[in-house]
Amino acid sequence: MSDERRGYLYGLTAYTMWGFFPIYFKLLRPAAPMEILAHRVLWSVVFVALLLSAMRNWRFLSRLLRTPRLLGGIALAAMLIGVNWGTYIYGVNSSRVVETALGYFITPLLVVLLGVTVLRERLRALQWVAVGIGVLAVAILTVDYGRLPYIALTLAASFGCYGLIKKRMSLPPAEGMFVESAVLALPALAYLTWLNLAGNATVGHVSVSHTVLMLFAGVATAVPLLLFASAANRVPLVGLGILQYVAPILQLAVGLLIYHEPMPPARLAGFGLVWLALIVFTVDGIRGARTAARNRAAMAAERTPESLPAR
């Protein structure tokens, strides 16, 4: 198997795992979203710490401690991913799996807007068309829900901003995940301590299988992230961009086919516009990648040995 095909396999596995996360989180009830989030944070720290110990890779901490600005960026990234995880768990366990899927469908469009507003990037015509269709879709869905789809928008905004901050840092996935989870670990531990003292904790009080599933949260969080990182190093950006739609498609299917959440005509029309926007966005991305590849090939041809001056 070639390295690129192995990358596609890693990426597909990661996004498939994320796509079936709603089933896993629903199995954690009757635990409240905050309790699930706290355990997810704590066991992520433990699992990744064991992984880093096995790799004997703790040298990155000294660089972090010497770079306050990097520490600040990681703290902000940790808060954003905490909001994202908590919102997702709340959405799933309040029977809004379809709306969580919407959040990850519109994330690429929101990332484009962040590129314009924060990074001062210039959009191509088709990208503006995709963004415009996406805004219209959100307007239709707002009318259908009778409110802003705040779960979807919070998921998209938190993950988009998280990605923007991560882009400016240079920590590998395991190290980054450890530090981000460690930032959230103290508040998570304090919350779980209070919950146990108040007698409201579910872990250890529901069933053995429930306790095991809660303790498994760290592995369930870390494994797809590490698979995704392995895929990102092997798969072209366009291929990775197409793979990212696997997770929300599966989440949508889980919401509709397993949990039988409603999909009235107006909501279906809103989702249809989101998918149209993503098709436009993907086509533009493929065209842009091909143009960039042709330009690189032309530049390489201009620098062939025949065209270089003799020494």
Side-chain angles (χ1 to χ4, degrees):
M1 182 183 292
S2 69
D3 208 38
E4 184 174 326
R5 286 187 177 181
R6 189 177 292 107
Y8 276 109
L9 178 62
Y10 291 154
L12 185 61
T13 303
Y15 282 113
T16 301
M17 290 178 71
W18 282 325
F20 288 112
F21 260 20
I23 297 174
Y24 169 68
F25 284 121
K26 278 188 178 288
L27 290 174
L28 302 183
R29 294 182 299 183
M34 281 296 294
E35 184 179 5
I36 297 171
L37 175 62
H39 278 284
R40 186 177 185 183
V41 167
L42 281 180
W43 297 114
S44 294
V45 173
V46 172
F47 177 76
V48 180
L50 292 172
L51 188 63
L52 291 173
S53 297
M55 296 165 58
R56 298 182 178 179
N57 187 15
W58 291 101
R59 294 186 300 275
F60 71 95
L61 285 177
S62 61
R63 180 168 71 92
L64 276 180
L65 295 174
R66 295 194 305 266
T67 317
R69 186 175 179 181
L70 186 58
L71 277 174
I74 290 173
L76 182 56
M79 287 187 285
L80 287 167
I81 201 63
V83 168
N84 184 270
W85 288 355
T87 303
Y88 182 77
I89 295 166
Y90 169 76
V92 167
N93 284 353
S94 59
S95 300
R96 299 180 191 176
V97 175
V98 169
E99 192 175 340
T100 65
L102 173 64
Y104 290 111
F105 274 126
I106 65 176
T107 295
L109 302 176
L110 191 134
V111 168
V112 169
L113 281 178
L114 285 173
V116 173
T117 57
V118 178
L119 301 179
R120 304 298 180 186
E121 295 176 353
R122 296 183 64 181
L123 296 190
R124 295 183 291 270
L126 279 180
Q127 289 176 318
W128 278 118
V129 170
V131 170
I133 295 171
V135 171
L136 178 60
V138 171
I140 290 174
L141 289 165
T142 298
V143 173
D144 172 66
Y145 281 113
R147 56 171 174 79
L148 275 173
Y150 63 88
I151 290 176
L153 293 175
T154 302
L155 288 172
S158 58
F159 197 75
C161 293
Y162 171 76
L164 181 66
I165 292 171
K166 292 281 284 184
K167 185 178 179 180
R168 299 188 172 190
M169 297 187 296
S170 57
L171 277 179
E175 289 84 339
M177 183 179 178
F178 172 77
V179 179
E180 289 160 13
S181 298
V183 169
L184 300 173
L186 281 179
L189 184 60
Y191 175 76
L192 289 176
T193 301
W194 171 82
L195 203 64
N196 277 280
L197 291 174
N200 295 323
T202 61
V203 172
H205 301 283
V206 176
S207 66
V208 173
S209 60
H210 179 267
T211 299
V212 170
L213 285 171
M214 287 287 274
L215 301 184
F216 185 72
V219 177
T221 298
V223 169
L225 181 66
L226 297 175
L227 285 170
F228 169 77
S230 298
N233 292 330
R234 295 172 171 87
V235 176
L237 194 59
V238 171
L240 207 61
I242 294 172
L243 276 177
Q244 72 178 326
Y245 301 131
V246 170
I249 287 171
L250 289 174
Q251 290 167 10
L252 180 63
V254 167
L256 294 177
L257 302 179
I258 297 180
Y259 299 117
H260 307 293
E261 294 186 12
M263 179 63 81
R267 194 168 305 170
L268 182 59
F271 268 88
L273 284 174
V274 170
W275 296 329
L276 176 61
L278 292 175
I279 290 170
V280 172
F281 181 74
T282 303
V283 168
D284 178 77
I286 293 171
R287 287 175 55 184
R290 287 176 177 173
T291 301
R294 284 195 298 268
N295 291 340
R296 285 194 299 269
M299 290 177 64
E302 290 175 0
R303 294 187 59 82
T304 55
E306 291 78 4
S307 64
L308 294 175
R311 292 187 179 182

